[in-house]
Amino acid sequence: MAVRKKKKVAKTSSTKKKVAKKKVAKKKVAKKKVAKKKVAKKKVAKKKVAKKKVAKKAVKKKVQIAKKVIKKANSDKALFDTMLELTRVTSAEIPDDVQKVVLKALAREEKNTTAEYAMNIIQANIVLAKKKSQPICQDTGTIHIFVEHPVGLDQTKFRKITEKAIVKATQVGYLRQNSVDSLTGKNEGINIGPGHPDLHFKENPKRKSVKISMMLKGGGCENVGAQYSLPNTELGAGRDLDGVRKVILDAVQKAQGKGCGPGVLGICIGGDRGSGYKYSKEQLLRMLDDTNPHPDLKKLEKDIVETSNKLGIGPMGFGGKTTLLGCKIGVLNRLPASFFVSISYMCWAYRRKGIELSNKMEIKNWIY
Ligand code: SF4
C-alpha cells in the first residue's frame, strides 16, 4: 500500500514538472512572438521614415526645379526688357560725346548761313527726339549689336530674346519698319530677317559681366562708305600712310551732299574686304574724344578732320566749316598681296549706346 502511495506521489510530481516545463516553453514562445512583433514594428517604422525622407527629397527637388524655372523666366524677361530699353534709348538719344561735338560745330559756323541753319535743325532734332523719346531719324538704319561676354553665355537664347525685343520695339514705334527682303523688296514690318539685326558675339574669359553696344547706322550714310585697294594710281596713293590719307580725303569729297553730313569716319587699314569693313564700323564704337594709342594714327585722325573741315563741303553739303565731326582709324593685319582701306561713314544721326549687364540681365550701367 505504501509502495503504491509512493508511486502515485512520484507520478504526480513528474506530471507537475511536465506541466511546468510546458508553461516555460509556452512563455518562451510567447516572448519570441512578442520580440518578433517588435522587430516587425520597428521595420515598418523604419520603412515609414525612409518613405518620408524620399518624399521630402522629391518635394525639395521639385521646389528647386520650380525655382530654377522661375529664375530662368525672370532673367529671360529681364534681358528682353533690357534690350527693349537699349533700343529705345539708342534710337532716341545721341550719346553725350557726339552731342558735345555737334554743339561745338554749331558754335563754329558763321551766323545766318545755310550751314548754321542746318546745324540748328540738327541740334533741334536731337533735343526734340530725346524729349519726346522718339526716333531721331525716320531711317532706322541697320541695327548693329556687339556683345562682349564671359564664358557661358547662351548665344542662341540671347539672339532669340534680342530679336523679340526688336520686334516689340518696332511695334511700339521705337524703330521704323525698315528691313526688307533683298529679292522681293517685301517689308515684313518687324525689322528682323537674315542678317538683321547684325549681331556679333565676342567671348572674353576675363570679363565678369556682359557688355552690349548698339549702333543704328542709316542707309544714306552707308551708301557713301568706300573701300580702296592700294596702290591707287588714279589718286597717286601708294601703300603707306600718305596713300591712306589720299583715299580717305577722296571718299570725303565723293560723299559731299550725300550721307547726311556732317559725318564721322570709321576706318580700317588692312584686313580683307569683309573684315576691313566690319572693323571700320567697330571704330565707330569709340568715343569721339578718345585718343588713338598709335601716335601716327592719332596724327592722321586729327589731320583728316581738320583738312576735311577746310574743304568747304559743310553740313548736308551746304557749304561751311563742318564737314566731319570725327575720324577714328584702326589697323588689321593684311596679306602681302593686298592693302585695303575700308571707310564707313556715319551720318550726324550717330546713334550708339552701350550698357553693362548685372547677373540678373538688368542694366547695371550705361557706357555711353
Ligand atoms: S543717313 Fe542718317 S540722317 Fe540721313 S536719313 Fe539715314 S539715318 Fe537719317
Side-chain angles (χ1 to χ4, degrees):
M1 182 79 174
V3 173
R4 272 171 76 179
K5 209 174 183 180
K6 264 185 183 178
K7 271 186 179 176
K8 203 179 174 184
V9 169
K11 206 177 175 183
T12 312
S13 132
S14 128
T15 312
K16 272 183 181 176
K17 273 183 185 174
K18 272 184 185 172
V19 170
K21 260 189 182 177
K22 267 187 183 175
K23 268 187 181 176
V24 170
K26 260 188 180 177
K27 268 187 183 176
K28 271 187 182 174
V29 169
K31 255 189 180 179
K32 269 188 184 174
K33 267 188 180 173
V34 169
K36 256 189 181 177
K37 268 186 183 176
K38 269 187 182 174
V39 170
K41 261 188 180 179
K42 269 187 185 174
K43 271 188 182 172
V44 170
K46 261 190 179 176
K47 268 188 184 173
K48 270 187 181 174
V49 170
K51 261 189 178 177
K52 268 188 184 174
K53 270 188 182 172
V54 170
K56 250 189 180 180
K57 266 191 182 175
V59 170
K60 211 177 170 186
K61 220 179 179 183
K62 271 186 185 172
V63 170
Q64 278 173 347
I65 291 170
K67 273 185 180 172
K68 267 188 187 172
V69 170
I70 291 167
K71 204 176 165 191
K72 190 176 157 284
N74 283 347
S75 78
D76 288 0
K77 168 85 171 59
L79 181 59
F80 173 85
D81 290 343
T82 292
M83 293 311 291
L84 186 61
E85 177 62 359
L86 176 62
T87 309
R88 181 191 72 77
V89 178
T90 308
S91 178
E93 297 178 20
I94 290 283
D96 289 347
D97 58 310
V98 178
Q99 170 74 86
K100 254 190 220 169
V101 183
V102 167
L103 287 173
K104 261 192 196 170
L106 176 59
R108 189 172 48 223
E109 292 298 344
E110 273 176 34
K111 303 290 153 224
N112 304 318
T113 57
T114 319
E116 191 210 19
Y117 178 67
M119 286 310 297
N120 260 324
I121 288 180
I122 287 171
Q123 173 56 18
N125 206 342
I126 290 171
V127 173
L128 201 66
K130 187 174 178 179
K131 198 174 154 193
K132 293 196 162 187
S133 188
Q134 280 179 353
I136 290 174
C137 185
Q138 85 286 347
D139 177 6
T140 292
T142 301
I143 304 166
H144 298 282
I145 303 170
F146 299 85
V147 185
E148 203 181 322
H149 62 87
V151 177
L153 181 85
D154 185 341
Q155 296 184 355
T156 310
K157 192 173 89 177
F158 190 99
R159 182 181 289 276
K160 269 189 189 167
I161 293 174
T162 298
E163 287 182 352
K164 272 188 190 168
I166 298 291
V167 172
K168 182 74 182 173
T170 310
Q171 285 166 347
V172 296
Y174 298 160
L175 302 171
R176 198 185 72 161
Q177 304 165 348
N178 215 28
S179 180
V180 301
D181 183 301
S182 288
L183 296 181
T184 62
K186 195 177 169 199
N187 190 334
E188 298 279 356
I190 49 175
N191 270 326
I192 58 167
H196 205 247
D198 177 43
L199 197 45
H200 302 270
F201 291 98
K202 190 175 170 188
E203 188 176 275
N204 181 352
K206 286 181 186 165
R207 279 208 73 84
K208 291 207 170 101
S209 59
V210 179
K211 177 184 159 189
I212 309 170
S213 302
M214 181 181 274
M215 187 163 73
L216 304 181
K217 190 169 186 304
C221 61
E222 183 66 4
N223 288 346
V224 296
Q227 191 168 60
Y228 294 82
S229 174
L230 299 184
N232 183 312
T233 42
E234 204 184 309
L235 297 169
R239 288 182 162 187
D240 50 24
L241 280 186
D242 185 54
V244 171
R245 181 180 183 273
K246 281 181 179 154
V247 294
I248 296 173
L249 290 174
D250 182 63
V252 173
Q253 285 278 7
K254 285 183 177 146
Q256 66 179 296
K258 297 175 266 180
C260 303
V264 177
L265 302 183
I267 290 161
C268 171
I269 302 171
D272 65 5
R273 290 193 184 274
S275 63
Y277 263 133
K278 180 176 172 269
Y279 201 54
S280 71
K281 288 202 170 95
E282 286 185 38
Q283 295 309 302
L284 295 169
L285 296 175
R286 286 170 50 192
M287 303 277 277
L288 281 185
D289 53 5
D290 74 356
T291 308
N292 198 313
H294 194 294
D296 291 342
L297 297 183
K298 176 185 162 192
K299 225 168 107 185
L300 185 59
E301 286 177 354
K302 191 167 177 272
D303 173 34
I304 293 290
V305 176
E306 285 174 1
T307 309
S308 300
N309 286 344
K310 285 178 191 154
L311 293 175
I313 297 169
M316 302 286 175
F318 291 149
K321 296 176 182 173
T322 316
T323 299
L324 287 185
L325 297 172
C327 174
K328 300 288 160 189
I329 305 174
V331 181
L332 289 181
N333 267 22
R334 61 179 175 84
L335 298 177
S338 47
F339 193 124
F340 294 108
V341 180
S342 308
I343 302 165
S344 284
Y345 187 101
M346 175 61 94
C347 59
W348 68 264
Y350 190 167
R351 295 155 292 176
R352 83 153 133 69
K353 288 279 174 184
I355 48 173
E356 248 186 300
L357 301 191
S358 70
N359 290 340
K360 290 178 180 169
M361 293 290 167
E362 288 163 348
I363 298 173
K364 191 163 77 179
N365 56 281
W366 289 86
I367 301 164
Y368 37 55

